Amino acid sequence: MILANVFCLFFFLGTGADPVVSAKSNHCLDAAKACNLNDNCKKLRSSYISICNREISPTERCNRRKCHKALRQFFDRVPSEYTYRMLFCSCQDQACAERRRQTILPSCSYEDKEKPNCLDLRGVCRTDHLCRSRLADFHANCRASYQTVTSCPADNYQACLGSYAGMIGFDMTPNYVDSSPAGIVVSPWCSCRGSGNMEEECEKFLRDFTENPCLRNAIQAFGNGTDVNVSPKGPSFQATQAPRVEKTPSLPDDLSDSTSLGTSVITTCTSVQEQGLKANNSKELSMCFTE
C-alpha cells in the first residue's frame, strides 16, 4: 500500500496531471467498472477473459474456437448499454485506447502469426451461415451514405454499431488496429497481399472497415454521448457516464492492459473520482494516499 501511494504521488507530481481529470478521461475503465456492477455482465466477461487467456501449449496460446464462442455469448447476452460502452468508449490518451483495443482479448480472438488475404477470409466467413448473415448486416447497416447527415443509412448509428459488435466472435472479427487515441481505425485481421487481379475488390472490401465514415462517426458519437437523439429507432444510453459507487469492485479489470502504466495509476487512484471529491489538488493527492 505504501509503495502504491508513493508511486501515485511520483506519477502525478512528475507529469503534472490532476488525479480527478486523469480518472475522468478513462471512460473505458469506467465502462469495465459498470460491467462489474452487473451480475450478468460480470459473469460473462470474467468467463471470456479466463477462456481467451488460457494457454493450451507453448505453441498454442489459446483455444480460439472457445474464445470466439465465449465472446459471442458475452455480446449476445449482455445488454448493449454495457457492451457498447466497453467497445466504443472515447479516449484521450494511449492507456485508455489500449484498454479499448484489449476489450476482446485480441491476442487470442483477433491476431494470428500471419494476416490472410481479406477475400479469402471473407470466403471462409461465407461458409458459415451465421457469419455470412452478420457480415451482410454490417454491409447493409454501415454502408457509407452521402445523402444523410451522419453518413449512415437512415442516420441510424445504433444499427451500425450493433452490426459491428455482431461480427465479434467469428472469423471476420474486427478490432482497433492500434492504441492511438487520435483516430479510430478498425479492421479485420487481414490484408490484400496476393490478391492478383482481385486487388481492387479486396481494397474496396477492406476500406468498408478502415475508411468507413458511417462506422467511424457512429463510434465517435457513441463515445462522446452525442448519438442519443440521432436515430429514434435505437435505444438511448448514457454513453460515458459511469454509475456512482462508493467502492471500486475488485475484478480482472487489469488482465487485458497490464502493460499500460497510465491505466494502472488510474485504477489505484480512481476512488478520487468516484467519491465525487470537490477538494483542491493537494487534498486529492492526500486522499490518494489514504486509499
Side-chain angles (χ1 to χ4, degrees):
M1 179 63 69
I2 296 176
L3 180 61
N5 289 334
V6 171
F7 176 75
C8 180
L9 176 63
F10 173 81
F11 178 82
F12 286 119
L13 291 181
T15 60
D18 186 310
V20 176
V21 173
S22 296
K24 284 184 177 180
S25 69
N26 198 328
H27 299 304
C28 297
L29 181 60
D30 294 340
K33 290 178 181 178
C35 176
N36 290 340
L37 293 174
N38 177 274
D39 290 341
N40 189 45
C41 188
K42 171 182 173 180
K43 176 183 176 181
L44 292 174
R45 177 172 178 258
S46 298
S47 176
Y48 86 71
I49 287 176
S50 175
I51 292 172
C52 298
N53 273 324
R54 190 177 301 153
E55 185 176 290
I56 304 301
S57 69
T59 58
E60 189 177 4
R61 58 190 169 192
C62 68
N63 187 319
R64 176 169 288 195
R65 182 182 61 81
K66 290 185 177 180
C67 177
H68 277 177
K69 181 179 180 180
L71 280 168
R72 291 198 302 271
Q73 289 177 340
F74 176 76
F75 286 103
D76 288 346
R77 298 180 184 180
V78 175
S80 58
E81 66 179 286
Y82 298 105
T83 60
Y84 283 17
R85 287 181 62 183
M86 295 175 64
L87 272 180
F88 309 125
C89 42
S90 63
C91 289
Q92 303 299 320
D93 56 53
Q94 189 173 355
C96 174
E98 178 62 14
R99 173 179 279 273
R100 180 176 62 188
R101 191 185 74 84
Q102 289 287 341
T103 296
I104 65 169
L105 280 297
S107 63
C108 181
S109 68
Y110 177 67
E111 300 164 359
D112 210 339
K113 294 178 181 179
E114 296 182 2
K115 286 187 176 183
N117 180 272
C118 292
L119 296 183
D120 291 343
L121 188 64
R122 184 181 67 179
V124 172
C125 175
R126 286 177 173 176
T127 62
D128 178 270
H129 74 280
L130 190 52
C131 184
R132 181 175 64 247
S133 175
R134 298 287 178 95
L135 180 59
D137 285 345
F138 172 78
H139 285 304
N141 294 322
C142 295
R143 182 184 71 253
S145 172
Y146 298 99
Q147 299 179 351
T148 59
V149 174
T150 63
S151 298
C152 286
D155 286 321
N156 193 342
Y157 279 155
Q158 295 294 331
C160 180
L161 295 179
S163 296
Y164 175 93
M167 289 192 297
I168 296 174
F170 293 93
D171 292 309
M172 195 57 67
T173 295
N175 197 30
Y176 298 90
V177 299
D178 57 37
S179 56
S180 170
I184 293 176
V185 181
V186 298
S187 173
W189 183 259
C190 65
S191 74
C192 287
R193 293 178 183 175
S195 297
N197 58 5
M198 302 290 287
E199 184 171 1
E200 184 176 349
E201 180 181 349
C202 182
E203 293 288 354
K204 182 179 183 298
F205 172 79
L206 188 56
R207 284 196 300 271
D208 285 344
F209 294 89
T210 60
E211 301 178 21
N212 187 325
C214 168
L215 178 60
R216 182 179 62 250
N217 291 343
I219 293 174
Q220 289 177 334
F222 186 90
N224 296 331
T226 57
D227 70 322
V228 176
N229 296 318
V230 169
S231 174
K233 297 179 182 179
S236 297
F237 305 124
Q238 293 294 326
T240 58
Q241 296 178 359
R244 298 181 63 182
V245 294
E246 295 183 355
K247 184 177 181 180
T248 304
S250 57
L251 261 131
D253 282 341
D254 57 352
L255 283 177
S256 59
D257 62 351
S258 59
T259 60
S260 171
L261 174 64
T263 303
S264 62
V265 174
I266 291 169
T267 303
T268 303
C269 306
T270 188
S271 62
V272 176
Q273 173 196 6
E274 293 174 347
Q275 294 175 13
L277 298 176
K278 303 298 184 178
N280 57 29
N281 290 345
S282 61
K283 192 171 182 179
E284 288 155 1
L285 284 173
S286 176
M287 290 300 296
C288 178
F289 287 149
T290 59
E291 273 298 307

